[in-house]
């Protein structure tokens, strides 16, 4: 045999390989190990020769179950397999039987490669293939495959529940997708807590969820739906009270009881019932949102019930003097309660700051009309005043925000409201600004007539107070 620097070429080749190469005799004793094998154990060759492979690598007194080396020697064929060592690493083993000239087995050559990272990646890919990344629930693709697999006589009765998360669009639009993601994670947690291990819970898409209940009759699935509702209430009590929207989900269910019923029809029935229940529950949910938003506004800002009442009294007087339509009058009253609703999305430390705001902080505050507008247009009750919420900080000379409207480009309702709001703030004061007297406030209004306020409306307002 040829040598290089005193070493056999065959040995040099084996020592160059990243794979572990081990030669074993019939009794599983190691007779040779290349450099990679030595390195994996941090042992010299002399400390490896004559030892059992399963003792060195697997810390066992007996061979591993389904050992490829034993299989290859018994079958006289190449054998492959995966084995996990006690340290959690995964190895791919390929064993070639060694035969003498009489075709008798005298040992085996084991070639081993670590595949831990590949297995982790494979598991991650498999997980993402079947799961929704955000909630950890199964995804729609997995759900559809499971529905086909479980659609058998043996699984009857099989029930389906469809759910639609309430308020997700409002939260996304007003508070950002991070808050929306919290809502989605919250309902996923509730669904998992409410269902059994064998139930298949999946995110159907967006704000919709679906659950398969194998071998589950109607009365049982109805109780599970009640449990989901109850756990939503518990979740709202347990979590931070500053969460903008209470967790709530509309549910509908249907049950396949006969083998000849189509599963697609069962799914459609569950979805129809979900939407019907959503319509029935909608008013209750909307009321809870309004209460939640108002509580959050009062907790996070200087807004309070007295401030709102004072503005309401002023705008009602203006409405009567100007003989506004009932629609505009009602809009002004509603605006007195919700004009600054967008401030709930501004950090509390800014809105409750006792000193004058910095320019940077004020820029953050200036986005509240746009945030309020987004909140309003998603609410049946607030939608009619959304445009007024957006424009109540516009100035007569066009230097207001957010759109820079001027003069009569600004809706009449917003122009009236801006005067009443400014007067009430001036006369009630703020921690960072001393309250003005009635006379001082009137002087301030006249000073800014034609600049910030509609000059004609300022005179009307002054006359009524």
């Amino acid at each position: 045999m040829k040598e290089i620097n005193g070493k056999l070429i065959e040995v040099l080749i084996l020592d160059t390989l990243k794979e572990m190469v081990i030669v074993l005799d019939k009794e599983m004793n190691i007779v040779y190990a290349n450099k990679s094998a030595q390195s994996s154990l941090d042992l010299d060759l002399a400390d490896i020769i004559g030892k059992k492979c399963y003792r060195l690598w697997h810390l066992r007194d007996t061979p591993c179950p389904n050992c490829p080396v034993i299989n290859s020697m018994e079958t006289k064929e190449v054998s492959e397999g995966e084995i996990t060592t006690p340290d959690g690493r995964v190895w791919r083993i390929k064993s070639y039987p060694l035969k003498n000239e009489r075709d008798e087995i005298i040992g085996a050559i084991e070639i081993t490669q670590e595949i831990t990272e590949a297995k982790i990646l494979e598991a991650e890919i498999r997980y993402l293939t079947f799961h929704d990344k955000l909630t950890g629930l199964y995804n729609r693709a997995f759900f559809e495959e499971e529905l086909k697999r479980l659609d058998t006589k043996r699984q009857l009765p099989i029930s389906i529940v469809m759910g639609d998360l309430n308020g997700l669009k409002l939260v996304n639009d007003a508070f950002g997708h991070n808050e929306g993601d919290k809502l989605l994670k919250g309902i996923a947690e509730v669904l998992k807590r409410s269902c059994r291990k064998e139930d298949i819970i999946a995110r159907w898409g967006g704000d919709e969820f679906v659950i398969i209940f194998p071998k589950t009759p109607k009365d049982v699935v109805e109780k599970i739906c009640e449990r989901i509702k109850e756990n939503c209430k518990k979740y709202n009590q347990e979590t931070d009270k500053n969460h903008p929207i209470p967790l709530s989900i509309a549910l509908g269910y249907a049950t396949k009881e006969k083998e000849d019923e189509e599963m697609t029809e069962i799914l459609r029935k569950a979805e129809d019932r979900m939407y019907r229940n959503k319509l029935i529950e909608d008013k209750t949910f909307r009321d809870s949102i309004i209460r939640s938003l108002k509580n959050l506004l009062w907790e996070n800002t200087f807004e309070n019930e007295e401030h709102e009442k004072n503005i309401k009294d002023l705008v009602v007087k203006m409405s009567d003097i100007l003989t506004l339509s009932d629609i505009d009058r009602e809009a002004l009253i509603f605006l007195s309660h919700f004009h600054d609703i967008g401030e709930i999305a501004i950090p509390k430390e800014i809105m409750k700051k006792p000193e004058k705001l910095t320019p940077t902080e004020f820029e953050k505050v200036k986005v509240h009309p746009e945030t309020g507008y987004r909140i309003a247009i998603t609410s049946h009750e607030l939608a009619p005043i959304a445009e007024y919420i957006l424009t109540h900080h516009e100035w007569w000379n066009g230097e207001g925000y957010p759109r820079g409207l001027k003069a009569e480009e600004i809706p009449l309702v917003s122009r009236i409201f801006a005067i009443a709001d400014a007067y009430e703030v001036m006369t009630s004061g703020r921690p960072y600004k001393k309250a003005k007297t009635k006379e001082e406030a009137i002087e301030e209004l006249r000073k800014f007539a034609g600049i910030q306020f509609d000059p004609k409306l300022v005179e009307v307002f002054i006359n009524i107070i």
Side-chain angles (χ1 to χ4, degrees):
M1 292 184 181
K2 291 186 177 180
E3 295 185 3
I4 298 178
N5 294 330
K7 280 199 172 184
L8 294 173
I9 290 178
E10 289 86 347
V11 173
L12 286 171
I13 292 172
L14 293 176
D15 282 344
T16 304
L17 297 176
K18 289 183 179 179
E19 293 83 358
M20 292 164 36
V21 180
I22 306 165
V23 181
L24 304 105
D25 63 18
K26 283 181 68 175
E27 283 71 40
M28 301 287 286
N29 297 308
I30 300 169
V31 297
Y32 169 78
N34 71 347
K35 288 289 185 184
S36 291
Q38 297 170 43
S39 177
S40 73
L41 292 170
D42 196 23
L43 292 174
D44 293 331
L45 184 59
D47 297 318
I48 297 174
I49 298 297
K51 303 292 193 308
K52 306 285 187 184
C53 66
Y54 49 82
R55 285 182 180 155
L56 288 178
W57 276 279
H58 307 287
L59 308 179
R60 295 173 59 91
D61 294 325
T62 57
C64 302
N66 300 315
C67 173
V69 176
I70 293 175
N71 290 342
S72 69
M73 289 194 288
E74 288 178 350
T75 62
K76 296 186 178 182
E77 300 286 342
V78 177
S79 180
E80 294 184 67
E82 291 179 10
I83 289 180
T84 302
T85 46
D87 58 8
R89 292 188 291 173
V90 185
W91 307 85
R92 183 73 183 171
I93 297 174
K94 195 167 187 176
S95 179
Y96 297 84
L98 277 176
K99 306 173 189 176
N100 60 19
E101 62 276 4
R102 295 186 298 276
D103 199 39
E104 297 170 337
I105 295 296
I106 59 172
I109 298 177
E110 175 186 324
I111 299 176
T112 303
Q113 183 178 18
E114 185 178 356
I115 55 170
T116 308
E117 289 185 11
K119 295 297 287 186
I120 292 171
L121 181 60
E122 181 186 320
E124 288 175 354
I125 292 171
R126 192 186 313 114
Y127 182 87
L128 292 174
T129 301
F130 298 131
H131 289 79
D132 173 58
K133 187 176 181 181
L134 177 67
T135 62
L137 301 177
Y138 290 115
N139 59 22
R140 182 167 181 166
F142 180 84
F143 171 84
E144 289 174 343
E145 289 302 314
E146 282 296 282
L147 197 59
K148 292 175 189 173
R149 183 181 70 83
L150 293 169
D151 189 12
T152 63
K153 184 178 180 180
R154 190 164 51 88
Q155 298 294 339
L156 293 178
I158 183 166
S159 295
I160 300 288
V161 167
M162 289 284 287
D164 186 281
L165 178 63
N166 293 316
L168 181 62
K169 186 178 186 322
L170 188 154
V171 173
N172 281 337
D173 289 349
F175 304 96
H177 286 271
N178 284 341
E179 286 297 329
D181 289 349
K182 288 179 186 177
L183 208 62
L184 287 165
K185 290 176 183 176
I187 198 62
E189 180 184 321
V190 164
L191 293 176
K192 285 187 281 189
R193 188 194 304 174
S194 306
C195 296
R196 307 162 304 186
K197 277 188 177 181
E198 63 269 25
D199 302 329
I200 309 296
I201 313 169
R203 186 177 176 191
W204 188 248
D207 53 5
E208 292 187 336
F209 297 81
V210 63
I211 314 169
I212 309 174
F213 296 92
K215 300 179 182 178
T216 307
K218 287 180 181 177
D219 60 330
V220 175
V221 80
E222 187 174 354
K223 288 177 182 176
I224 294 173
C225 286
E226 290 172 2
R227 187 157 67 234
I228 291 170
K229 293 282 191 180
E230 192 59 37
N231 282 336
C232 279
K233 292 178 184 177
K234 288 180 182 177
Y235 178 90
N236 292 328
Q237 293 166 357
E238 293 166 2
T239 52
D240 186 358
K241 290 183 180 179
N242 284 332
H243 198 282
I245 297 296
L247 194 67
S248 168
I249 189 169
L251 299 169
Y253 68 88
T255 302
K256 177 175 177 174
E257 297 173 315
K258 299 176 182 177
E259 192 176 1
D260 60 352
E261 290 180 290
E262 288 291 331
M263 208 68 212
T264 52
E265 184 63 17
I266 301 300
L267 197 61
R268 187 192 63 77
K269 283 182 182 178
E271 189 172 27
D272 287 348
R273 287 172 181 166
M274 174 193 74
Y275 285 123
R276 188 161 63 246
N277 288 335
K278 192 175 181 72
L279 286 173
I280 294 169
E281 299 166 6
D282 195 42
K283 180 66 169 66
T284 303
F285 175 69
R286 293 201 313 264
D287 289 345
S288 72
I289 282 185
I290 295 297
R291 286 195 302 272
S292 179
L293 293 178
K294 285 308 301 280
N295 290 337
L296 199 55
L297 180 65
W298 289 349
E299 287 173 14
N300 288 8
T301 71
F302 291 120
E303 299 288 324
N304 56 48
E305 196 169 3
E306 184 182 359
H307 170 68
E308 292 176 6
K309 181 184 179 302
N310 292 340
I311 295 177
K312 176 186 171 183
D313 292 343
L314 292 170
V315 297
V316 165
K317 290 177 182 178
M318 285 286 281
S319 299
D320 293 341
I321 291 293
L322 296 169
T323 61
L324 297 182
S325 68
D326 289 343
I327 292 175
D328 284 348
R329 188 177 193 273
E330 188 176 319
L332 277 164
I333 292 171
F334 220 41
L335 197 59
S336 66
H337 295 290
F338 294 100
H339 58 286
D340 281 334
I341 198 67
E343 289 181 353
I344 60 177
I346 299 169
K348 186 175 181 179
E349 58 269 22
I350 292 178
M351 294 312 305
K352 284 282 195 178
K353 186 176 179 181
E355 302 89 20
K356 188 175 180 179
L357 299 180
T358 66
T360 301
E361 290 168 338
F362 184 59
E363 285 302 313
K364 291 181 179 179
V365 171
K366 283 170 67 176
V367 304
H368 81 270
E370 297 165 83
T371 304
Y373 174 81
R374 290 196 297 271
I375 292 172
I377 58 175
T378 61
S379 165
H380 178 76
E381 284 81 3
L382 300 183
I385 63 167
E387 185 68 20
Y388 307 136
I389 290 174
L390 181 65
T391 56
H392 78 281
H393 279 296
E394 300 289 352
W395 281 27
W396 182 258
N397 67 358
E399 293 183 7
Y401 59 88
R403 295 162 63 187
L405 302 180
K406 62 181 180 180
E408 293 183 359
E409 293 175 349
I410 307 167
L412 175 62
V413 168
S414 297
R415 282 181 274 146
I416 294 170
F417 183 82
I419 297 168
D421 184 34
Y423 177 82
E424 205 290 320
V425 169
M426 285 190 285
T427 53
S428 61
R430 289 290 183 266
Y432 54 84
K433 188 180 290 186
K434 183 183 175 183
K436 294 180 183 296
T437 64
K438 178 180 178 180
E439 291 71 23
E440 289 171 335
I442 289 173
E443 183 182 344
E444 193 79 3
L445 288 176
R446 284 200 168 120
K447 178 182 175 182
F448 282 90
I451 298 172
Q452 183 174 353
F453 309 114
D454 182 333
K456 291 181 181 178
L457 292 176
V458 167
E459 290 306 316
V460 172
F461 183 82
I462 290 171
N463 285 336
I464 69 168
I465 61 169

